[in-house]
Amino acid sequence: MEVSFEINKTSRNVLLKFLENHSLEQLNTIPEGFSNNLIWNIGHIIVVQQMLVYKLANLPMMVSDKMVEKYKKGTKPEHNVTQEEVDEMKLLLFSTLEKTRKDYSEKVFQNYNEFTSMSGFTMKSSADAITFNNYHEAIHTGIMMQIRKFI
């Protein structure tokens, strides 16, 4: 699992660069032909990791219900995010990963509600979810790389 955590850390560092190298206006811009923006993708990545790894294991998530409602699958940006929301996401990028790594090493994940992703991959454990999450983050990072060409 150590490799999965290192891949996730690398992914989160890429996301942090998006937050640091784009203005609030750029983060909130939805280019023509896209249904979301840079900041929605980052919020979505954070929320989905928590839902896949923690919620499906019947454990408390580190994100609020409000954040889940804004960024879960099937949502789209409804308003411009504030700098405070961006700052919270910066913290969550790494605090969620660090807690997941710690919880995994402490064997906190004992139960899991099997879940099949839209791509057809079935997760039977939090370990599967942690690994699959890297694929999910890569898809959204690719979308973000496309979006930044148009902002």
Side-chain angles (χ1 to χ4, degrees):
M1 283 305 296
E2 197 55 35
V3 171
S4 288
F5 286 120
E6 286 303 310
I7 291 169
N8 201 198
K9 184 178 175 184
T10 301
S11 170
R12 298 296 175 99
N13 278 314
V14 169
L15 297 175
L16 179 62
K17 285 185 174 94
F18 276 95
L19 293 175
E20 292 176 339
N21 296 328
H22 293 84
S23 69
L24 190 58
E25 181 182 350
Q26 289 174 314
L27 291 171
N28 279 300
T29 298
I30 302 172
E32 189 175 329
F34 289 86
S35 60
N36 52 50
N37 53 30
L38 294 175
I39 198 66
W40 180 91
N41 278 279
I42 292 172
H44 177 73
I45 283 169
I46 292 166
V47 163
V48 168
Q49 185 268 349
Q50 288 289 290
M51 293 179 76
L52 288 175
V53 179
Y54 284 89
K55 185 173 183 177
L56 289 169
N58 300 316
L59 294 168
M61 297 186 293
M62 291 180 64
V63 295
S64 68
D65 291 342
K66 182 179 176 183
M67 189 171 183
V68 170
E69 287 306 309
K70 285 169 65 172
Y71 297 106
K72 68 183 179 182
K73 181 182 133 195
T75 63
K76 61 182 180 178
E78 298 293 335
H79 73 285
N80 284 343
V81 300
T82 64
Q83 186 60 50
E84 291 78 25
E85 290 171 290
V86 172
D87 293 342
E88 179 186 16
M89 285 188 206
K90 276 185 187 179
L91 293 173
L92 287 170
L93 276 177
F94 295 98
S95 60
T96 53
L97 179 56
E98 289 161 10
K99 180 165 176 30
T100 303
R101 185 179 235 158
K102 180 178 180 280
D103 288 347
Y104 186 81
S105 70
E106 293 176 358
K107 301 187 184 340
V108 169
F109 303 107
Q110 296 298 314
N111 301 306
Y112 196 78
N113 297 305
E114 190 173 297
F115 176 74
T116 301
S117 72
M118 286 179 54
S119 62
F121 181 76
T122 300
M123 290 158 263
K124 297 180 181 181
S125 68
S126 290
D128 291 351
I130 291 165
T131 301
F132 175 80
N133 182 65
N134 287 330
Y135 168 77
H136 178 259
E137 290 196 17
I139 288 171
H140 285 278
T141 302
I143 292 167
M144 292 170 67
M145 289 176 176
Q146 291 298 312
I147 288 173
R148 79 173 168 199
K149 292 178 183 178
F150 297 99
I151 55 173

